[in-house]
Amino acid sequence: MKKEIVSLKNICRSFETQQVQALNDISLTIYQGEFLTIIGPSGSGKTTLLNIMSGMDKPSKGEVFFNNDKIDSYAHWVKIRSKRIGFVFQQFNLLPTFTAIENVEVPMFGIIKDRERRRLDASELLHQVGLKERLNHFPNQLSAGERQRVAIARSLANSPDLILADEPTGNLDSQISHSILNLLRDINLKKNRTLVMVTHNHEIAELADRVITILDGQLVKG
Amino acid sequence: MVFISIPLRNLKRRLLRTILTSFGITIAISSFIVLVSMSRGVEKAWVNSLLERGVHMLALSREAVEMLTAAIDENLAMDIKNIDGVNDVSGELVNLVKLENDFHALLRGWPKDSFLWDTVHLKAGDIPGPMESHKILIGETISEISDIKVGDTLKIRNEFFIVSGINVPAGTMNNSAIIFHLDTLQKLMEKERKVNEFHLKLDHPDNQEEVQRVQERLNQSLPNLAFIMTKEIAEKNDILKIFRNVTWATSLVAMFMALFFILNTLLMSVSERTKEIGILNALGWHQNRILLMIVIEGIIMASIGAILGSILGMFSLFWLLELPKLRGFFEPGVSVMMYLEVFLITLFLGIFGSFYPAFRAIRLNPVDSLKYE
């Protein structure tokens, strides 16, 4: 029997100020080791769904379960985000005043107490994403593809069960996109990490084990 | 990388702004050190000038707020001396004048038979004899600044006096004093038969109960005078109280300015880093860690200001001490207590100045923060 990682039950999200119903009664279960893509046009609610999965946003209605535990407190979500979830963003979102290795170390504060251990782990993760020569480079000294690799290495800090990637190749050319997707797929397969990726590109979406489609805040396929 | 390097890096990023904020705090802290040290220095100089003369108690007019304007009948000295427990008493007339070289000097007039003459430490010359009404003793500071030696004359209020001796007392204030026979100074100041205060020596100054009894007897016999122990004199003096309050009020204004420097700097910094704070949130940083990061930034800026402010304050204080107009009127009142106060003020500035910006940072919605450009 497949192990559940995240389970969403009857999730609704409305933004009262904009009178928008971003998500409407979405129920979804994501399993351990799965590669799932969420596809849909711009403004369909893909990113909102990802934010709710990570506790960055609160649903207006519905429940979120992580490893079968209902999560509804801030403290619980912080704990889960720091240890169990890794984030990869379209805009990379690296801290500009920190080097590549320091960016990877940032999520480890409070989780790994030993400074040397943090350094070694961050260095090892950057090796894994092919950036062993770029450890001490600042984000502005790296190419777009390299920055996204740093972001992927950062998402792997603290060995999370789940990696959430929001349009990770949206800002990259096709060749680099291909290598980033391969890297994410490798991590999914070799490390058995669950990967949930938001995209609006059908070709990329088809690489996943399962594809769900969102349209106007509703699950239409998946 | 250690945690402290994160707030340090944030401050380094806007180096000029950090330097300017720390400079503002430096000025505030140095102002505090100078003002408070001067206020305490005046008290210290005054109390020391009394203690070194072996004065146990002072008798002051109850009506006069300012001691120099008091005028008490000198004959009350006999009534005080007759009280059981009083060993000796001496009236003193004090005034402050500007000498020809712009130097301010304290003029003190002592009766010819006063025990106060026994407390003089001569560097050169002699104490004026009972018949030498135009001879004076000058403090070492006056001698140095005005380049006056024994035998020279000094013009005070259009009259010439011959320097009979140079006094080297331990206390700073007495170093800037000119000592006259009481009757000479009374004529010079047009205060015949008047004194400002009485200096008392007690039979048993270390016996608290006995001191209290003597004080009660004195208060009963001479209700128009206030009898105050020397050690308490600074606490109970109205002028010093006003000086102290003004000092604290001025320091407080400086501190509030420093507080707003920190507040403004960190508020700007937090709004500039909205997206970064969102990223830290997304990476699982607890609100407390984000709050701590910003509070540490405030404490670092306040600490830099405190260290530089302490150094600048000390230099300013010693520079002020050397100014002819101020020389001799205060002793630097810098103590461990003052550094403890500076340390507490630094913590206060750092924590309170950064708390609101930090609070704003942790209240940011992570989703909105990540969209911020």
Side-chain angles (χ1 to χ4, degrees), chain A residues 51 56-57 74 78 81-82 87 89 93 95-98 102 105-106 109-110 115 118 154, chain B residues 1-3 6 9 13 275-276 279-287 289 365-367 370:
Chain A
N51 287 337
M56 298 248 291
D57 197 3
Y74 168 81
V78 168
R81 261 207 312 276
S82 61
F87 245 112
F89 304 92
N93 285 345
L95 298 169
T97 49
F98 294 93
E102 287 168 342
E105 278 185 69
V106 167
F109 279 104
R115 181 179 159 189
R118 282 199 300 263
R154 184 180 63 181
Chain B
M1 187 170 62
V2 287
F3 181 70
I6 298 176
R9 201 77 66 92
R13 202 162 149 190
K275 187 164 187 171
E276 284 173 45
I279 296 169
L280 294 174
N281 241 314
L283 297 178
W285 269 37
H286 196 279
Q287 286 181 338
R289 190 173 294 277
N365 179 326
V367 176
L370 284 172

Side-chain angles (χ1 to χ4, degrees), chain B residues 302-360:
Chain B
S303 303
I304 294 170
I307 293 166
L308 296 179
S310 300
I311 295 167
L312 183 67
M314 290 293 289
F315 274 110
S316 308
L317 196 63
F318 284 105
W319 174 73
L320 284 171
L321 270 176
E322 289 306 311
L323 285 182
K325 283 192 178 182
L326 291 175
R327 200 163 158 188
F329 289 98
F330 68 94
E331 291 175 21
V334 180
S335 60
V336 176
M337 193 60 170
M338 171 158 279
Y339 282 108
L340 192 67
E341 281 168 352
V342 168
F343 172 73
L344 291 175
I345 288 168
T346 307
L347 269 186
F348 168 82
L349 289 176
I351 293 170
F352 282 83
S354 57
F355 198 78
Y356 177 65
F359 184 70
R360 285 259 303 235

Side-chain angles (χ1 to χ4, degrees), chain A residues 6-8 26-30 36 49 53 210 212 219:
Chain A
V6 181
S7 183
L8 308 176
I26 288 191
S27 293
L28 172 70
T29 301
I30 299 161
L36 175 97
L49 186 64
M53 261 183 224
R210 182 157 62 117
I212 60 166
L219 219 57

Side-chain angles (χ1 to χ4, degrees), chain B residues 147-198:
Chain B
D147 194 23
I148 296 171
K149 295 172 196 70
V150 172
D152 291 348
T153 54
L154 188 63
K155 192 179 169 191
I156 303 165
R157 285 197 143 193
N158 295 323
E159 283 196 43
F160 288 93
F161 295 90
I162 300 161
V163 175
S164 158
I166 292 166
N167 186 19
V168 276
T172 310
M173 199 171 263
N174 288 336
N175 260 307
S176 302
I178 300 172
I179 306 169
F180 296 75
H181 281 152
L182 178 62
D183 49 0
T184 308
L185 188 61
Q186 283 171 335
K187 273 182 215 146
L188 191 70
M189 294 293 148
E190 295 164 357
K191 282 191 172 178
E192 259 92 356
R193 307 221 159 269
K194 298 292 179 193
V195 291
N196 300 119
E197 62 195 355
F198 290 104

Side-chain angles (χ1 to χ4, degrees), chain B residues 170-275:
Chain B
T172 310
M173 199 171 263
N174 288 336
N175 260 307
S176 302
I178 300 172
I179 306 169
F180 296 75
H181 281 152
L182 178 62
D183 49 0
T184 308
L185 188 61
Q186 283 171 335
K187 273 182 215 146
L188 191 70
M189 294 293 148
E190 295 164 357
K191 282 191 172 178
E192 259 92 356
R193 307 221 159 269
K194 298 292 179 193
V195 291
N196 300 119
E197 62 195 355
F198 290 104
H199 295 226
L200 280 72
K201 279 181 116 172
L202 305 180
D203 287 333
H204 306 289
D206 299 325
N207 183 338
Q208 278 300 313
E209 287 175 11
E210 173 62 10
V211 167
Q212 219 166 347
R213 280 195 289 271
V214 175
Q215 216 164 1
E216 280 165 18
R217 284 196 286 269
L218 285 162
N219 283 328
Q220 271 180 358
S221 304
L222 298 143
N224 292 332
L225 295 180
F227 294 90
I228 302 163
M229 291 302 288
T230 304
K231 285 172 188 163
E232 297 167 4
I233 191 76
E235 302 260 312
K236 295 192 174 169
N237 184 274
D238 288 332
I239 294 294
L240 286 181
K241 271 185 203 166
I242 294 168
F243 189 32
R244 220 176 287 144
N245 291 341
V246 170
T247 298
W248 273 100
T250 316
S251 302
L252 216 60
V253 172
M255 290 306 148
F256 270 111
M257 282 169 66
L259 196 69
F260 282 105
F261 288 146
I262 297 179
L263 191 72
N264 181 50
T265 301
L266 289 179
L267 267 180
M268 282 171 73
S269 168
V270 164
S271 59
E272 280 170 6
R273 288 186 282 150
T274 299
K275 187 164 187 171

